[in-house]
Amino acid sequence: MEKYVHILKGKGLKITPQRLTILKYLDENRTHPDADIIYNDLKSMNPSLSRTTVYNTLDAMRNIKIIQELTISKTETRYDYHTDPHHHFLCMKCGSIIDVDIKCPHQDSKEVDGHRIEEIHGYFKGICKICSNE
Amino acid sequence: MEKYVHILKGKGLKITPQRLTILKYLDENRTHPDADIIYNDLKSMNPSLSRTTVYNTLDAMRNIKIIQELTISKTETRYDYHTDPHHHFLCMKCGSIIDVDIKCPHQDSKEVDGHRIEEIHGYFKGICKICSNE
DNA sequence: TCCTAACTGGTAATCATTACAAATTAAAAA
DNA sequence: TTTTTAATTTGTAATGATTACCAGTTAGGA
């Protein structure tokens, strides 16, 4: 848990039990969950947790860039504990998001056509290996 | 207008005035509009047009792949008349989506890590050239 | 011209996310 | 350690894009 305290402190965020819990959850669940899944999974162990806090916390952590928002799915925002740059595959059948580790020549670009880049997202959509085999 | 009749017929969609109007609009407005903007822009000339028809039509045209859905923005789905593959830049200040014509080595891939690809999206987010200069 | 499945339009429902305000708490200052 | 204050948490209500539903209309083949 000291690890998460350190990460938050380093970025100037106040340490709260809720933030530690959510950050730990994202670190240990690399399934690209959405806010509602995070809320429901943590609710049982943290009965006072509020949905709004989950949203607020995710937003705060996105601001300091320790997590990343994925807008690959049309219906909900999903979250990714931010480490090395990588692309994502969304299965249009089962809805799971899978990391794809491919080389992208633009991954470290700071601008395109004069526009300043802050985030780069590579999204593939299709049918995943498992769903393809029925 | 014959052009759009031909496109729809070729894909087996029924020809309706609404579909022709919406397809023409997307061809002539490469601003990546969302359903609401399309609805409002066309409503004055087509008073009987319904919001539901706009959604239905966009969905039908996406199915036959003559237009593309962009999920780059968190709040709404935006649409692109589908031509050559290209990536997109979203300005986080003014909200505009700009085409970026860069080479991507994965643009024509049919699969990654065994997962069958149907769509490829390259999204850059940041501050556009115009907003950067205040 | 007739027939039928497909399409349109209007309203109501859904659902993720945000707004708001009162109560609580982290952590800096005394 | 205690005090103080701004930041955070929580629950509820509001928002807004999208979808569901269904009655009425229409495209286009027979």
Side-chain angles (χ1 to χ4, degrees):
Chain A
M1 220 54 166
E2 201 47 43
K3 168 183 175 186
Y4 307 115
V5 172
H6 191 258
I7 291 173
L8 294 177
K9 246 182 195 148
K11 297 287 189 172
L13 274 200
K14 273 194 184 173
I15 313 303
T16 71
Q18 293 86 346
R19 286 176 176 173
L20 291 173
T21 305
I22 291 168
L23 185 53
K24 180 171 188 284
Y25 178 90
L26 284 172
D27 188 17
E28 295 175 348
N29 297 80
R30 305 302 181 97
T31 50
H32 317 94
D34 67 7
D36 201 57
I37 289 172
I38 297 170
Y39 171 74
N40 282 306
D41 281 359
L42 296 177
K43 185 70 174 173
S44 50
M45 291 296 288
N46 309 266
S48 81
L49 183 65
S50 143
R51 201 173 244 108
T52 301
T53 296
V54 175
Y55 279 101
N56 286 344
T57 299
L58 291 170
D59 202 51
M61 298 197 299
R62 179 192 54 74
N63 271 319
I64 60 174
K65 300 194 191 293
I66 62 178
I67 67 171
Q68 195 180 24
E69 272 183 5
L70 306 181
T71 58
I72 190 171
S73 157
K74 228 181 113 165
T75 45
E76 79 288 316
T77 303
R78 297 176 63 162
Y79 291 87
D80 198 12
Y81 191 88
H82 197 66
T83 51
D84 303 320
H86 58 278
H87 287 347
H88 294 94
F89 181 96
L90 170 69
C91 178
M92 291 153 59
K93 192 169 173 194
C94 69
S96 68
I97 293 178
I98 304 162
D99 290 338
V100 293
D101 191 17
I102 58 177
K103 286 187 193 18
C104 171
H106 310 288
Q107 196 68 260
D108 301 310
S109 301
K110 297 301 176 209
E111 65 166 56
V112 260
D113 299 346
H115 310 300
R116 181 158 52 86
I117 296 172
E118 308 222 330
E119 294 179 33
I120 298 178
H121 301 267
Y123 295 152
F124 297 87
K125 301 187 186 184
I127 307 296
C128 79
K129 184 157 42 176
I130 295 169
C131 286
S132 288
N133 301 332
E134 237 69 12
Chain B
M1 220 54 165
E2 200 48 42
K3 169 185 175 186
Y4 306 115
V5 172
H6 191 256
I7 292 172
L8 294 177
K9 244 180 196 152
K11 298 287 187 168
L13 276 200
K14 272 192 183 176
I15 312 304
T16 70
Q18 293 86 345
R19 286 177 175 173
L20 292 174
T21 304
I22 291 169
L23 185 53
K24 180 171 188 284
Y25 179 89
L26 284 172
D27 188 17
E28 294 175 349
N29 296 80
R30 305 301 181 99
T31 50
H32 316 93
D34 66 6
D36 202 57
I37 290 173
I38 297 169
Y39 171 74
N40 282 305
D41 281 359
L42 295 178
K43 184 72 174 173
S44 51
M45 290 295 289
N46 309 265
S48 81
L49 183 64
S50 144
R51 202 173 243 109
T52 300
T53 296
V54 174
Y55 278 102
N56 285 343
T57 298
L58 291 171
D59 202 51
M61 297 197 300
R62 180 192 54 73
N63 270 320
I64 59 173
K65 300 194 191 297
I66 61 178
I67 67 172
Q68 195 179 24
E69 272 184 4
L70 305 182
T71 58
I72 190 172
S73 158
K74 229 180 114 166
T75 45
E76 80 287 316
T77 303
R78 298 176 62 162
Y79 291 88
D80 198 12
Y81 191 89
H82 197 66
T83 51
D84 302 319
H86 58 278
H87 287 346
H88 294 95
F89 181 96
L90 170 69
C91 178
M92 289 153 59
K93 193 169 173 196
C94 69
S96 68
I97 293 177
I98 303 162
D99 290 338
V100 293
D101 192 17
I102 58 178
K103 286 187 193 17
C104 171
H106 310 288
Q107 197 67 73
D108 300 311
S109 300
K110 297 300 176 209
E111 66 167 56
V112 260
D113 299 346
H115 310 300
R116 181 158 51 86
I117 296 171
E118 307 221 331
E119 295 179 31
I120 297 178
H121 301 268
Y123 295 151
F124 298 88
K125 301 186 185 184
I127 307 296
C128 78
K129 183 156 45 176
I130 295 170
C131 286
S132 287
N133 301 332
E134 237 69 12

